[in-house]
């Protein structure tokens, strides 16, 4: 990796497990819901997890549909989940990797999709700002149409990092959207095959696939150490 000047990461399920965020949000929501349906919060939490495992759509609606509660309760659940400050953290392994990149003089960037409030809460809770030279939350560029694989966030982060595409590595976990644009621009793409990730993609054409695959994030660290 000696020729590279920057490493750009996806956030969710790449730098931390997104399920940790889900659990954090459900704990906050459970405390609120328990006051509305007269159920202990840990039981509400267990119910939310079970519903989520069955189907990730409309979890709060499905939990509360059998209870006589105001429609505003579901809305408040969504607001609490989306805006809570999460109890999540980077693993020591990821911290070591990011520190090593900085020590090697590589620029570090993040491109992440999602509602800005929630994504920035994740970024701050994980302490990522101290490592990064540029962080782009794609919705802030003008709405959901700027989410990956839109090429604008990729071009913007290259400009902010002051590197050419061929000088950058892009690391993500979701081949449905992470790599196709990075490949077209000429970045070196690495897929972190996160078997515990929330979203698994299969049966995609070659243009969607990363140049190489790793199974553990430390494999990036070992690659860099050997240069």
């Amino acid at each position: 990796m000696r020729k590279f000047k920057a490493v750009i990461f996806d956030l969710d399920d790449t730098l931390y497990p997104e399920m940790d965020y889900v659990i954090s949000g459900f704990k906050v929501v459970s405390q609120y819901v328990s006051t509305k349906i007269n159920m202990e919060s840990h039981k509400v939490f267990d119910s939310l997890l079970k519903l989520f495992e069955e189907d990730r759509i409309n979890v709060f609606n499905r939990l509360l549909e059998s209870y006589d509660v105001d429609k505003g309760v579901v809305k408040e659940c969504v607001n609490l989940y989306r805006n809570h400050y999460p109890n999540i953290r980077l693993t020591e392994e990821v911290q070591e990797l990011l520190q090593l990149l900085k020590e090697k003089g590589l620029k570090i960037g993040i491109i992440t999709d999602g509602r800005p409030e929630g994504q920035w809460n994740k970024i701050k809770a994980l302490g990522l700002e101290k490592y990064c030279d540029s962080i782009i939350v794609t919705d802030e560029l003008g709405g959901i149409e700027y989410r990956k694989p839109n090429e604008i966030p990729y071009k913007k982060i290259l400009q902010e990092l002051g590197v050419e595409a061929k000088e950058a590595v892009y690391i993500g976990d979701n081949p449905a959207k992470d790599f196709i644009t990075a490949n077209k621009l000429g970045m070196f793409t690495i897929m972190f095959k996160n078997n515990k990730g929330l979203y698994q993609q299969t049966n995609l054409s070659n243009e969607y696939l990363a140049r190489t695959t790793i199974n553990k994030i430390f494999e990036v660290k070992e690659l860099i150490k050997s240069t």
Side-chain angles (χ1 to χ4, degrees), residues 16-167:
Y16 84 103
E18 190 171 3
M19 193 63 200
D20 288 357
Y21 177 81
V22 173
I23 290 171
S24 174
F26 281 177
K27 286 182 178 179
V28 172
V29 171
S30 296
Q31 293 175 357
Y32 167 71
V33 170
S34 68
T35 67
K36 300 297 180 180
I37 64 173
N38 193 29
M39 181 187 293
E40 294 178 358
S41 62
H42 70 90
K43 293 183 178 180
V44 177
F45 175 77
D46 290 342
S47 297
L48 286 172
L49 275 186
K50 183 178 180 181
L51 289 169
F52 184 80
E53 290 169 358
E54 293 171 354
D55 187 346
R56 294 164 187 159
I57 304 299
N58 297 324
V59 174
F60 303 136
N61 299 69
R62 288 155 53 213
L63 173 72
L64 295 168
E65 63 186 357
S66 60
Y67 294 92
D68 183 22
V69 296
D70 187 270
K71 292 182 178 180
V73 174
V74 173
K75 184 177 180 180
E76 182 61 16
C77 289
V78 174
N79 288 335
L80 285 169
Y81 182 86
R82 289 178 176 174
N83 296 303
H84 85 285
Y85 193 83
N87 181 20
I88 55 178
R89 58 181 55 84
L90 297 177
T91 64
E92 289 186 11
E93 190 174 80
V94 171
Q95 293 180 60
E96 290 174 7
L97 171 60
L98 295 173
Q99 188 60 42
L100 177 63
L101 292 174
K102 289 184 71 69
E103 291 172 359
K104 289 278 187 178
L106 282 82
K107 297 293 184 65
I108 300 174
I110 292 173
I111 301 175
T112 181
D113 294 337
R115 294 174 179 84
E117 297 84 356
Q119 295 310 100
W120 279 110
N121 279 345
K122 295 174 187 176
I123 290 162
K124 292 179 184 299
L126 293 168
L128 286 167
E129 289 173 292
K130 67 182 179 182
Y131 297 107
C132 293
D133 301 284
S134 176
I135 299 174
I136 292 180
V137 179
T138 55
D139 283 23
E140 292 184 324
L141 300 178
I144 62 173
E145 62 267 30
Y146 289 87
R147 293 182 181 183
K148 296 175 282 187
N150 188 306
E151 69 178 21
I152 290 176
Y154 292 87
K155 289 183 174 180
K156 182 175 176 60
I157 202 165
L158 290 172
Q159 181 181 30
E160 291 187 357
L161 294 175
V163 300
E164 298 179 27
K166 65 182 180 181
E167 298 172 321

Side-chain angles (χ1 to χ4, degrees), residues 183-197:
N183 286 335
K184 287 180 179 178
L185 292 175
M187 298 183 193
F188 185 82
T189 51
I190 300 175
M191 178 179 173
F192 174 37
K193 192 174 182 180
N194 188 346
N195 293 324
K196 295 182 179 179

